[in-house]
Amino acid sequence: MVAEERIARLLHQSRQAELPVGGGEWLLAVIGAVAAQLPACPPQKMPFRERRAALEDQLRASGLAYGTGAQDPAVELNPEAAPGERAFAHFVAGLVRLCASAAASSHARWFVPGPPAQVGVRARRAQLLAVLAAAGGDAEAAARLFSDPTAIPNPLEKLADRTAARLSRRYLAAGGPFAGLPLHNGLCAVEVRCCATIALAAFQHARISPGAVALTAKATLRWRSLLVELLARLALAQEDGSASARGFEQVIRSQRLPVREARTLRRALAHPREIEQVAPELHSDALRRFMLTQVLVAALMDGRFEGAEVAFVERLAHALGVDGAALAQLEAEVWEFYRDHKAALAALRLAETPEGLPHALTTRLEAAVLDNLDRLLQEIRETRELGELLAKAAAGGALSREEKSKVREQLIDLAKTIPALAIFAAPGGLLLLPILFKLLPFNLLPSSFVDPPPPAAALPAPRRKSG
């Protein structure tokens, strides 16, 4: 069975390099490469909340939360493929793999061990395509294919052609790495969440409900319009805001959206409301985090914060109830992701070292350290091991994996008493330690924290001059 799955996957991949990226056959080849191997399946069906949380983790780990996909083994491309084609191919593969994970965590019939390999691959391919098609507006045809994925004949090829045409029109930027950034990435990220929502429901109930898909589509349109509105408002604060606005208009026009949706997005672009008017509509934690992340992407993509951008981001964070430490953590996560995925995101240029972090982020972190310096030094004095490890790193010594783990554990404990320093304990926070070293006393040595200073030598008695 494993050998048959491997052969099927290789066949799908070998065809991809010969097919034009974005066509129906190419889409089926990518979906088939994912479907040819059973996804990791938990021992038991996961509760719905746990499934949703697991997908959120997968979104962040794969980059789909930011509107792009990491390098995916299901993709095989011609070496001469353009950057935009590569980005699109890995985005689509990540989208398909996300839906497969939703199926596996739901213990869907065709995504758990048991069915014969050939039948299972065909059924998985059909159901994964059905989810993508439903997200694209083909809910009725998708529902029929999903309910009977092994039927012959079936509408697989026609549905693949329509779905591929829609995905390509909206997200394939063949003329450049990512035309119209950052709105392009934001719309990709909204598409991901739409597909994830439909996949969770479909594999939970073993069917696609056109009514539920319609509700999801309505919510998705609202997410898109709010995103356009916030990015348009950010553009007004930028020095080259008019150029950004033209890029947004280009993205909306190139997608050839349905009239109602295009009109909604253009209205949001032309007449963006103030942050305080938009914020009440960001009513869920997921929506608030998503919008703040996308605004940060837009502001950080050139590697610097303009003063007006800083003010805009901080106003938005305040309106959403996000404090400075949480905002700094989110900024660091966004920066770290793009630093690690710059090959797939050639259009987004960010610094490669902590010293090159956007100025507003380093300024905020420095303020957090300096405002709490006395308490920080006191805590380090009481924690000998942390002091020793920080001293070793500050002196240029390399920390082992175990030592880095200890530093992070103790910084987490430290953040419990000094919440403003939680950023250093967050994922990726160790990358920011050079900022901490720069601000701590120059003679950071273990003895300076745990040993009393030696008594000063007595001055010799002055000699009396003879007169």
Side-chain angles (χ1 to χ4, degrees):
M1 182 174 179
V2 174
E4 290 180 359
E5 290 180 351
R6 183 171 179 273
I7 292 171
R9 185 170 67 255
L10 290 175
L11 286 174
H12 283 296
Q13 288 184 315
S14 65
R15 292 185 60 208
Q16 286 181 43
E18 303 171 2
L19 297 170
V21 173
E25 286 187 78
W26 175 85
L27 178 61
L28 282 177
V30 173
I31 296 175
V34 175
Q37 187 175 26
L38 279 170
C41 189
Q44 297 178 337
K45 180 178 179 179
M46 297 170 62
F48 185 80
R49 284 189 177 182
E50 291 183 18
R51 272 178 275 156
R52 188 168 56 188
L55 284 192
E56 284 287 344
D57 292 340
Q58 187 174 339
L59 285 178
R60 285 193 284 273
S62 66
L64 291 172
Y66 301 94
T68 186
Q71 299 291 313
D72 195 292
V75 171
E76 183 72 21
L77 291 171
N78 187 308
E80 297 180 359
E85 292 176 324
R86 293 183 177 278
F88 174 77
H90 290 293
F91 168 71
V92 171
L95 202 57
V96 176
R97 202 170 291 281
L98 184 76
C99 296
S101 296
S105 64
S106 303
H107 271 219
R109 176 186 176 188
W110 302 105
F111 292 81
V112 295
Q118 294 297 331
V119 177
V121 171
R122 190 165 68 245
R124 289 195 291 274
R125 184 178 65 163
Q127 289 194 328
L128 292 172
L129 172 63
V131 172
L132 266 62
D138 272 317
E140 296 289 347
R144 290 193 296 271
L145 179 61
F146 191 93
S147 65
D148 194 0
T150 60
I152 299 177
N154 62 30
L156 192 74
E157 286 76 13
K158 290 183 179 179
L159 205 55
D161 287 342
R162 292 201 298 270
T163 302
R166 173 186 172 274
L167 288 172
S168 299
R169 184 173 64 248
R170 290 197 171 196
Y171 308 115
L172 175 57
F178 290 94
L181 275 171
L183 180 58
H184 181 275
N185 270 59
L187 294 176
C188 286
V190 173
E191 180 79 14
V192 168
R193 292 189 170 276
C194 176
C195 284
T197 300
I198 293 173
L200 281 171
F203 291 113
Q204 163 78 5
H205 301 291
R207 69 186 184 93
I208 289 178
S209 165
V213 170
L215 291 175
T216 301
K218 184 177 180 180
T220 300
L221 175 57
R222 190 65 194 138
W223 278 50
R224 289 192 181 107
S225 61
L226 287 169
L227 173 66
V228 170
E229 198 166 7
L230 285 173
L231 293 185
R233 178 56 61 179
L234 174 65
L236 292 176
Q238 296 172 328
E239 293 178 3
D240 59 346
S242 58
S244 297
R246 285 194 298 272
F248 298 162
E249 172 61 31
Q250 175 191 353
V251 172
I252 295 173
R253 185 173 62 252
S254 67
Q255 293 196 347
R256 289 179 288 178
L257 303 170
V259 173
R260 176 173 169 268
E261 183 170 344
R263 185 182 298 121
T264 299
L265 296 189
R266 284 197 170 94
R267 187 183 304 118
L269 178 62
H271 305 288
R273 292 171 295 170
E274 293 292 338
I275 291 174
E276 289 74 17
Q277 294 175 291
V278 178
E281 297 181 32
L282 308 181
H283 47 75
S284 69
D285 290 341
L287 184 54
R288 286 192 290 269
R289 180 185 174 90
F290 176 83
M291 293 300 168
L292 188 53
T293 297
Q294 295 302 321
V295 167
L296 282 169
V297 169
L300 292 171
M301 60 179 284
D302 58 358
R304 63 187 177 86
F305 256 164
E306 299 171 7
E309 288 178 311
V310 175
F312 180 87
V313 170
E314 292 185 342
R315 274 181 63 202
L316 178 59
H318 177 74
L320 299 179
V322 177
D323 62 24
L327 177 59
Q329 177 179 335
L330 191 57
E331 288 173 343
E333 289 177 8
V334 171
W335 168 79
E336 182 185 6
F337 173 78
Y338 283 112
R339 182 187 67 88
D340 293 342
H341 294 79
K342 59 185 176 182
L345 297 163
L348 295 182
R349 303 294 183 185
L350 288 178
E352 299 183 17
T353 62
E355 292 81 358
L357 281 171
H359 178 68
L361 175 55
T362 57
T363 300
R364 188 177 292 113
L365 294 177
E366 289 175 1
V369 173
L370 294 175
D371 288 347
N372 296 274
L373 188 57
D374 290 341
R375 295 175 62 194
L376 174 59
L377 292 177
Q378 180 62 34
E379 292 288 341
I380 294 178
R381 289 190 185 97
E382 297 174 1
T383 312
R384 181 186 183 94
E385 186 176 36
L386 178 59
E388 292 173 346
L389 292 174
L390 289 177
K392 178 181 176 180
L399 298 182
S400 67
R401 179 178 297 182
E402 182 180 355
E403 288 173 331
K404 288 180 180 178
S405 178
K406 289 180 179 178
V407 169
R408 188 166 186 275
E409 289 175 3
Q410 295 193 36
L411 285 175
I412 289 174
D413 290 338
L414 189 60
K416 294 176 182 177
T417 57
I418 310 177
L421 303 181
I423 178 59
F424 293 104
L430 293 181
L431 296 172
L432 308 174
L433 284 181
I435 295 175
L436 182 61
F437 300 151
K438 183 178 72 173
L439 298 172
L440 290 175
F442 180 76
N443 61 337
L444 178 58
L445 295 171
S447 59
S448 66
F449 295 121
V450 296
D451 299 331
L459 295 175
R463 294 184 177 180
R464 186 173 182 181
K465 295 181 179 180
S466 58

